[in-house]
Amino acid sequence: MSSQSGPVARNNDPTAVAKTVANAYYAFGIVFLSDNFKRWEASKSSRFRDYRRAWFERPAKLDAGDFPLNLDFEITTRCNLACTFCTQPTLTAGQLGDMPWDLFVRVADECEKYATPAANFNGLGEPLLVRALPDMIRYAKEHGFIDVMFHTNGTIMTEAIADRLIDSGLDRIIFSVDSPDKQTYEAMRVGASFDSVARNVRFFFEHRQERMRTMPIIRTTMIVTDETVQQVPDFVDRWKPVSDQITLQDLTWRSKQLEDGTWTNGERSTIHTSFDQIREAAIAHKVGFACPYLFQTAYAYWNGDVIPCSNPNARKEMVMGHVDRQSMHAIWHGKEYRELRDLHATGRWHEHPVCRSCEIPLIELYKTLTRDGLTFESDDAGVHQKVVAADLAPDDKSADDLALRMQAESSSETSPKPPGA
């Protein structure tokens, strides 16, 4: 998946950066789409197609629009696992809680007013711990959302839960299963049983089929680390029979300075390069970064805080507003958002302390710089894998979804044509 790039034109000095990276599918790769997925996308309305086009066009054009395309509702920060790559176990007592129903309704109703197409019921917690989740999904579907989804660790599933989810109108369920190998999986997802989760995913698929339903779309996904990257073929083989979509995500966080001290990831990225090297190389070569989060989506946390992204430090250091006291529209257009977008639009993303140390821009810049011919030293004596999730997608484009196909068509239409073409 190639990054969208082009000259930055939103400041008075267009030479500040030569180009800017604004990849709509940051740190993400699709490796499989089922026929059911393809039929589902092909059957969608023009409104859905407009939303998927806007998903890549907004970051590319540095256009925040009038309202977010997607709202991430953090309905809980509680979780039943202690995954080695997640900061959830570091949350303080004051950071644990569930989103009140009336707050959810308030935000959902405002989203309906602005015809927001997508909702994702996710944050740091496990959504299936919230009994009202199917009711929230149903409410969202009844109030204008056309693409409603959530991620789950898959540890909780019964026939009753499956029925409530299927009947709620849920569009997509994403099972985070991370490895096809039992030992690797259980070492990463502390507290989970690989065999139990595998049974739950298969049960949900088979139960959906027994009910003669094609939705929700079932996605299985894994975090790509330096140890699991070699497992990708086995992962695809294992989950393809029960999946409509299979995706990969680069391991993003290395370490973060949180309220109770420094958190260090228990897993290791496939990129063994010092992120300081990448940042300085990007600055030297005038390659900027525009974070897609700032133009696509907003995070409404369970306590009413609105955050621009999923960076663990954003929870404390990047609060854009409080949706329990302000409208989301006012927050989306507020001073905090405008100033942050301007930093990214003018190639100065690294001037914000949280963005400066965030792995998402650094991974995207690494991909762009290496494809432009730059090389980086490994930060240790180990083998430098030089593999990111997007590079593992099939070369034949069979796993390109609607947004990727639209992006490719858009790039082709705007590319210079050879004489006589």
Side-chain angles (χ1 to χ4, degrees):
M1 298 173 197
S2 60
S3 301
Q4 291 285 313
S5 62
V8 172
R10 287 185 55 184
N11 65 343
N12 295 325
D13 179 12
T15 64
V17 290
K19 64 179 177 180
T20 184
V21 176
N23 183 6
Y25 273 166
Y26 45 90
F28 186 74
I30 305 173
V31 292
F32 170 73
L33 296 177
S34 72
D35 289 340
N36 183 50
F37 182 97
K38 294 171 183 177
R39 287 191 295 269
W40 171 73
E41 276 201 329
S43 71
K44 305 304 282 185
S45 67
S46 59
R47 184 181 169 213
F48 184 91
R49 294 180 65 85
D50 290 345
Y51 141 61
R52 297 314 292 157
R53 182 178 298 279
W55 195 254
F56 73 84
E57 282 190 344
R58 280 202 188 180
K61 295 179 179 179
L62 306 178
D63 176 14
D66 195 34
F67 204 78
L69 293 168
N70 171 75
L71 246 295
D72 273 74
F73 291 91
E74 182 181 66
I75 60 172
T76 186
T77 49
R78 296 180 295 120
C79 191
N80 57 341
L81 300 183
C83 301
T84 55
F85 49 85
C86 182
T87 61
Q88 192 279 340
T90 71
L91 294 180
T92 63
Q95 293 174 322
L96 293 172
D98 296 351
M99 178 177 283
W101 176 263
D102 59 350
L103 178 59
F104 160 69
V105 167
R106 171 178 173 159
V107 179
D109 286 353
E110 185 182 0
C111 290
E112 182 179 20
K113 176 182 176 182
Y114 291 97
T116 307
N120 192 338
F121 289 94
N122 275 102
L124 276 181
E126 167 52 47
L128 283 176
L129 291 174
V130 179
R131 182 170 176 77
L133 172 62
D135 300 318
M136 290 175 161
I137 294 168
R138 184 185 299 276
Y139 191 93
K141 292 298 294 183
E142 290 174 350
H143 288 78
F145 290 94
I146 59 174
D147 195 12
V148 177
M149 68 201 81
F150 73 95
H151 294 67
T152 175
N153 58 37
T155 57
I156 303 169
M157 186 59 65
T158 64
E159 183 174 342
I161 291 173
D163 282 332
R164 291 185 71 204
L165 292 174
I166 292 169
D167 292 338
S168 70
L170 179 67
D171 293 285
R172 314 192 204 201
I173 184 169
I174 301 104
F175 291 100
S176 300
V177 283
D178 295 318
S179 172
D181 175 68
K182 175 181 172 67
Q183 183 176 355
T184 303
Y185 170 85
E186 292 182 353
M188 294 172 66
R189 295 238 167 215
V190 179
S193 162
F194 178 82
D195 295 333
S196 176
V197 169
R199 282 195 302 271
N200 287 346
V201 176
R202 180 169 292 279
F203 166 77
F204 189 88
F205 171 81
E206 292 176 348
H207 192 62
R208 186 192 73 175
Q209 302 304 97
E210 288 169 2
R211 293 195 55 185
M212 301 182 71
R213 301 289 189 90
T214 58
M215 291 176 59
I217 292 296
I218 297 170
R219 175 172 137 199
T220 49
T221 189
M222 73 179 286
I223 291 176
V224 178
T225 72
D226 63 346
E227 293 197 3
T228 64
V229 66
Q230 305 302 329
Q231 298 175 354
V232 168
D234 290 341
F235 184 87
V236 174
D237 288 344
R238 180 176 186 95
W239 294 111
K240 186 183 290 187
V242 295
S243 301
D244 296 304
Q245 184 181 33
I246 300 177
T247 61
L248 312 174
Q249 179 182 321
D250 295 315
L251 182 74
T252 48
W253 315 127
R254 289 192 178 181
S255 64
K256 289 288 171 280
Q257 186 63 41
L258 304 176
E259 286 189 21
D260 57 351
T262 301
W263 169 83
T264 301
N265 203 317
E267 307 302 325
R268 183 175 175 129
S269 168
T270 59
I271 300 174
H272 293 181
T273 295
S274 159
F275 281 155
D276 288 337
Q277 279 189 62
I278 300 171
R279 185 191 311 106
E280 296 311 312
I283 294 171
H285 288 81
K286 296 184 177 182
V287 180
F289 173 79
C291 184
Y293 286 119
L294 300 176
F295 307 96
Q296 295 170 330
T297 191
Y299 286 70
Y301 279 177
W302 71 274
N303 63 354
D305 290 350
V306 175
I307 314 296
C309 64
S310 60
N311 190 306
N313 288 123
R315 188 173 294 270
K316 181 180 178 183
E317 305 295 338
M318 298 180 79
V319 178
M320 301 286 104
H322 307 275
V323 79
D324 53 336
R325 305 193 293 272
Q326 304 165 269
S327 71
M328 181 62 73
H329 185 270
I331 296 169
W332 188 246
H333 294 279
K335 178 175 179 289
E336 291 81 2
Y337 256 120
R338 286 186 281 109
E339 290 180 347
L340 188 56
R341 290 189 189 109
D342 188 60
L343 280 180
H344 284 245
T346 56
R348 297 178 294 126
W349 61 273
H350 49 83
E351 293 182 13
H352 193 287
V354 174
C355 299
R356 179 179 178 82
S357 62
C358 179
E359 286 86 342
I360 288 177
L362 295 165
I363 287 173
E364 289 303 315
L365 290 166
Y366 171 86
K367 290 191 285 189
T368 298
L369 293 169
T370 54
R371 287 166 184 164
D372 286 348
L374 269 69
T375 58
F376 293 94
E377 295 180 3
S378 175
D379 61 3
D380 66 8
V383 176
H384 191 177
Q385 305 255 18
K386 297 183 180 179
V387 174
V388 290
D391 293 334
L392 298 169
D395 292 334
D396 62 5
K397 306 299 181 184
S398 60
D400 281 8
D401 68 356
L402 179 60
L404 284 173
R405 294 196 304 275
M406 287 179 163
Q407 177 176 304
E409 291 167 5
S410 174
S411 298
S412 175
E413 290 169 1
T414 58
S415 297
K417 300 294 189 294

